[in-house]
Amino acid sequence: MMLIKSLPPTGRNACSRIPLAGALALVLWLQAIAVSPADGASAPTRSLIQLSDWNATQANQGKWLLLFTMNSCGHCKHFVPVVEQLAGELQKSGSDIRVAQLPTSLAAGTSIMFGVEGYPTTVYVENGDAYVYDGPRSVAALKEFVSDAPAQSSVTSFSYVHPLSMLGSAASVYLHLALKAHDKFLELQRLYSISTPVAIGLFAIACIIAGAVLGNVLAYFTSLFASAEQTDNDADAAAEDDDDSESDSDEQNQATINEEVPATENDLKEDFTETKSQARRRKTVKE
């Protein structure tokens, strides 16, 4: 399983980030494909939440009933209204159980991570613990299951990583993008009737060009951010220097004042002594 490493911190050598920017550009392009409205997923009702590979991690906290469906599945089309009715009843009763649908068009990666082999598949998740439902497809049976799932089913164990964890979500997104890229690749291959090696070559060239263009754009903005950060640092350093200069000036002024005060006191004493002597002389002259 591939792990996506985090981008390095902002620095002055922005050009070294062009390969990473190219990979990021490809991921963003595939993400735009993955969430396009062409998938034909039905809009969720207010009580039935719709989750995808991009936001499925929120089901890792609290109580959730997850319904994995496929758009072309006939059983799913009959079962979804039942789950919608259950979601509405739970919402009206003030239950803290939330009900969500995960169609394969939006949550293919999460379905793979959960090990879903058939549709529809219903999983109850309580604070990360998953329980697979394998009972009648009725509102009453589902309500009884979610009321005490641990007593009716065993906890599902996952071999590598929990599908709803952050790492599991990253793996789900990666799988989703890989599947979407594969589908688009086959679609283009059928549309233009080209051989597999030529299609792979054209796809690689397109990725390199898009990555280079967007990579240079990202490098340009990265250098701008680095320059702005350096300017802020220089401004802070200049402000600190000004503060130090003002502090030194205050110390010098205080020292000057301390030196002048004794001198002033001595002058007053001398003036007083001189005035006293003059008074004595005037008194002597009068006598």
Side-chain angles (χ1 to χ4, degrees), residues 206-226:
C207 291
I208 292 173
I209 294 174
V213 173
L214 295 181
N216 280 299
V217 172
L218 181 61
Y220 171 73
F221 284 106
T222 302
S223 63
L224 288 181
F225 293 148

Side-chain angles (χ1 to χ4, degrees), residues 162-178:
H162 197 289
L164 299 178
S165 64
M166 294 301 297
L167 185 58
S169 176
S172 298
V173 171
Y174 173 80
L175 291 171
H176 191 119
L177 295 177

